Amino acid sequence: MSSLTIVIPAHNEEANIVPVFSAISRVMQTCEGIDWNILFVDDGSTDSTIQCIKTLAEKESHVQFIEFSRNFGKETATTAGLHHATGDAAIVMDADLQHPPELIPIFIEKWKNGADMVIGVRESNTGEGLIKKIGSFAFNRLMITISETKMIQRETDYRLVSRPVLDAFQQFTERGRMTRGLLNWLGFHRDTVPFTAAARENGVASYSPAKLVQLAINYFLSHSLFPLKIAGYLGMLISITAGPTLCFMMIDRYLLGDPWHFKFSGPAILAVLNLSLIGIVLTCLGLVALYIGTIHRESMNRPLYVIRAKNV
Ligand code: UDP
Ligand code: MG
């Protein structure tokens, strides 16, 4: 008998608590040999979400909950859920039924077949605005290209993580976090499950565009040094083009007496001189960025390594 904890962060989801619970329990009745429970994390809801959860927990032994003192954001709520998950594996799922519970048996099957992490990959998203679609596509592509952490195109937070991953996850101490990014960073054996996200069942999405951008920036900063290095690369580019040009102009005009009649004017030489100085400054900035990058890495204090299995 193995056990499964389903972690559900919920912020103002009063109308979804009971539906999501019944949908999950209907599916779980078909899974034999799995002892399951649902762990709701109420992320400082201002409606009656927590009352709904508490009422449900009194009736149903499968329901557990964590109540936050205020809104800390979905990433923190998910983290708390994963920290408190007691199962041999945990599944993270949204409360709004956008993550179809019917897939849980597939997640479990892939886990039983040896995957440490099973990731829901979104095929398409009904009822999502064009801007959000474009935004998340662009973000994904960008991160896949420049990030040091391996991620999958269109991956979502809907995923199963096994006990070794949960234990390793406990070691992260960084604050500005994107749970999905950290789980990706851990590595382990992964498998994917494609799904089509349904439209939100009840209520409104509480992730505003501004919040999403903030999240993207967080991910960007904690998984890539690329933004820091841009200045340096630019500086080097300017230096290697403007530097030799300047030398050539100076030698031509002041040493050789302009034998080829280029007639470089004083302002032109000054402009190129300026440009090369800017190049030097930017290169130095890039150099400083490397040090900041090191400090950044040290202060994130990620685990040095993550062990998947051992026999010592
Ligand atoms: N959520 C949360 N805290 C927040 C915002 C959202 O716990 O501050 C939860 C929300 O209840 C839902 C999940 O995170 O279960 C996804 O939120 P939402 O549906 O608003 O985002 P989207 O579907 O647009 O990603
Ligand atoms: Mg949603």
Side-chain angles (χ1 to χ4, degrees), residues 3 7 11 40 46 61 74 90-91 114 122 124 151 168 176 203 223 238 254-255 258-259 263 275 281 296 304 306:
S3 56
V7 172
H11 176 65
F40 285 107
T46 47
S61 58
K74 178 187 175 186
I91 289 185
R122 194 166 52 200
S124 73
M151 74 186 263
H223 293 275
I238 294 177
Y254 297 113
L255 272 181
D258 199 12
K263 297 206 175 62
L275 204 61
V281 172
H296 182 234
L304 207 51
V306 179

Side-chain angles (χ1 to χ4, degrees), residues 9-11 13 43 71 74 94-96 98 132 200 205-206:
H11 176 65
E13 303 278 7
D43 184 16
N71 181 253
K74 178 187 175 186
D94 281 2
D96 54 8
Q98 284 192 300
K132 200 166 169 183
R200 183 173 243 284
S206 39

Side-chain angles (χ1 to χ4, degrees), residues 21-34 36 60 62 104-105:
F21 171 78
S22 4
I24 292 173
S25 65
R26 214 174 312 122
V27 173
M28 291 316 293
Q29 267 149 27
T30 64
C31 298
E32 274 163 28
I34 300 279
W36 60 281
E60 304 286 347
H62 289 297
I104 294 178

